[in-house]
Amino acid sequence: MHVAAYDRDAAVAYARRWALDRNRAYYDFENVGGDCTNFASQCIYAGAGVMNYAPVTGWFYRSASDRTAAWTGVEYLHAFLVSNRSAGPFAHVAPQGEVEPGDIVQLGTRNGDFYHTPVIVAVKPAILVAAHTYDALDRPLSSYDYETVRFLHIDGVRRG
């Protein structure tokens, strides 16, 4: 399997285009649990260009009723990205200083329950994010109220 670079510029361009709007190619989950991870997956897909169609454990979206939990669920996306050894994007939990635009951040409670997945659109002079559910563009990460944070640095994309 060939490993390709993750196109961070494409991911950020998508985030900037759709942060305050909705791409009609994807269902808007805002009123059914939240749309943040769906939006993050769309951004990652814009930079990866490859989905993983493995049932249950993969990462894909065909429709609102034909998708994996990893496409729309905070914890499931994390699990997919850090354990993926097959087609699609893969990542590792990284220190804040290692993140780049196009990576994602997940916010959580003191107990380690993660509930929000913004997309990093800039890192200097501060980390700025784009997100859905509570729509945001160029919002400083420091303006969020959270107790735990994890950064996912996307290392690359495996293509068949």
Side-chain angles (χ1 to χ4, degrees), residues 24 67 80 85 113 117 152:
R24 292 178 190 234
R67 69 184 196 284
F80 171 77
R85 304 288 180 261
D113 296 322
T117 307
L152 292 168

Side-chain angles (χ1 to χ4, degrees), residues 25 51 53 60-68:
M51 292 185 192
Y53 291 98
F60 68 84
Y61 178 98
R62 291 186 184 111
S63 70
S65 59
D66 188 8
R67 69 184 196 284
T68 52

Side-chain angles (χ1 to χ4, degrees), residues 67-90:
R67 69 184 196 284
T68 52
W71 190 270
T72 52
V74 176
E75 292 290 355
Y76 296 103
L77 178 60
H78 166 263
F80 171 77
L81 288 172
V82 300
S83 66
N84 182 29
R85 304 288 180 261
S86 188
F90 58 96

Side-chain angles (χ1 to χ4, degrees), residues 10-157:
V12 170
Y14 186 97
R16 291 191 173 286
R17 166 63 184 92
W18 295 105
L20 304 178
D21 201 358
R22 299 296 185 269
N23 181 339
R24 292 178 190 234
Y26 299 94
Y27 183 79
D28 180 0
F29 294 91
E30 185 163 335
N31 295 317
V32 285
D35 199 55
C36 65
T37 305
N38 176 41
F39 175 66
S41 286
Q42 292 172 42
C43 295
I44 294 167
Y45 179 61
V50 177
M51 292 185 192
N52 181 311
Y53 291 98
V56 183
T57 60
W59 175 77
F60 68 84
Y61 178 98
R62 291 186 184 111
S63 70
S65 59
D66 188 8
R67 69 184 196 284
T68 52
W71 190 270
T72 52
V74 176
E75 292 290 355
Y76 296 103
L77 178 60
H78 166 263
F80 171 77
L81 288 172
V82 300
S83 66
N84 182 29
R85 304 288 180 261
S86 188
F90 58 96
H92 70 277
V93 175
Q96 180 174 330
E98 190 179 310
V99 296
E100 299 177 63
D103 286 337
I104 62 171
V105 57
Q106 294 187 318
L107 309 180
T109 66
R110 179 178 298 114
N111 297 332
D113 296 322
F114 288 87
Y115 56 81
H116 194 43
T117 307
V119 177
I120 298 170
V121 295
V123 294
K124 291 179 183 173
I127 293 179
L128 302 178
V129 299
H132 274 189
T133 303
Y134 303 104
D135 292 4
L137 178 59
D138 291 323
R139 180 174 173 177
L141 180 60
S142 61
S143 72
Y144 282 91
D145 185 20
Y146 58 88
E147 296 169 324
T148 305
V149 63
R150 69 180 168 211
F151 297 94
L152 292 168
H153 178 75
I154 300 172
D155 297 307
V157 181

